[in-house]
């Protein structure tokens, strides 16, 4: 399964990005890592170009919220992203925030999986669970 990943916006957290890349590869994913300072349009273009089934965006400086608000608009524009699993993780707000407030907000932005300050392996377990659930749905239909 193909995954496009990278760090959104004006965020230069290279080490975390590399750890995500290595962890995805260790789980058998084919990874297209766009690196740091990536704009949403670049993520979406890469998903279409690679045929990726998953888009995993990370943010550690909290700027993701400003960028995340644009996801619904871009999904409508690109139209080929309906079946793509949209995941975001890291520190998703500037300052402190409560996951009970943050997770529904980001789901409203269009993300399927939201991991605010969640351990990387726990987040990737959530991704694999969603993939398995979708595969079961396809088999049933």
């Amino acid at each position: 399964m193909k995954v496009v990943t990278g760090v959104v916006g004006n965020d230069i957290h290279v080490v975390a990005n590399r750890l995500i890349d290595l962890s995805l590869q260790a789980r058998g994913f084919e990874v297209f890592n766009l690196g740091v300072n990536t704009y949403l349009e670049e993520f979406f273009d890469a998903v279409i170009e690679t045929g990726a089934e998953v888009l995993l965006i990370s943010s550690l400086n909290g700027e993701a919220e400003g960028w995340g608000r644009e996801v619904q608009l871009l999904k409508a524009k690109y139209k080929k992203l309906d079946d793509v699993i949209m995941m975001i993780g890291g520190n998703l707000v500037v300052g402190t925030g409560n996951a009970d407030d943050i997770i529904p907000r980001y789901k409203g932005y269009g993300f399927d999986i939201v991991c605010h300050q969640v351990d990387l392996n726990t987040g990737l377990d959530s991704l694999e669970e969603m993939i398995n659930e979708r595969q079961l749905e396809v088999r049933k239909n």
Side-chain angles (χ1 to χ4, degrees):
M1 184 164 277
K2 297 175 185 177
V3 179
V4 168
T5 191
V7 184
V8 70
N10 301 314
D11 194 330
I12 58 167
H13 289 90
V14 177
V15 174
N17 183 53
R18 183 69 177 136
L19 291 173
I20 292 167
D21 187 329
L22 292 171
S23 296
L24 285 165
Q25 288 181 43
R27 289 174 181 243
F29 290 97
E30 183 178 355
V31 181
F32 299 90
N33 190 337
L34 303 183
V36 299
N37 292 325
T38 308
Y39 294 99
L40 286 178
E41 292 88 349
E42 293 174 283
F43 283 114
F44 290 1
D45 287 342
V47 167
I48 291 169
E49 288 173 20
T50 63
E53 296 93 348
V54 178
L55 171 58
L56 192 165
I57 297 173
S58 67
S59 174
L60 288 179
N61 68 4
E63 287 186 19
E65 186 165 13
W67 297 95
R69 293 179 184 138
E70 310 258 333
V71 168
Q72 288 288 22
L73 290 170
L74 287 171
K75 280 174 83 171
K77 176 183 170 186
Y78 280 77
K79 297 186 187 198
K80 295 181 182 177
L81 302 176
D82 289 340
D83 294 330
V84 174
I85 296 173
M86 300 279 193
M87 180 176 182
I88 191 163
N91 182 40
L92 302 179
V93 296
V94 175
T96 60
N98 182 331
D100 293 335
D101 298 326
I102 294 165
I103 292 170
R105 185 178 328 145
Y106 274 85
K107 288 197 173 193
Y109 296 157
F111 291 98
D112 301 300
I113 302 171
V114 180
C115 298
H116 174 65
Q117 298 180 343
V118 171
D119 172 80
L120 175 58
N121 284 316
T122 301
L124 294 181
D125 289 346
S126 297
L127 173 61
E128 289 184 330
E129 286 172 23
M130 179 169 272
I131 291 167
N132 291 335
E133 288 171 10
R134 286 193 175 186
Q135 288 173 341
L136 285 174
E137 278 295 314
V138 168
R139 288 185 199 137
K140 287 180 184 178
N141 297 328

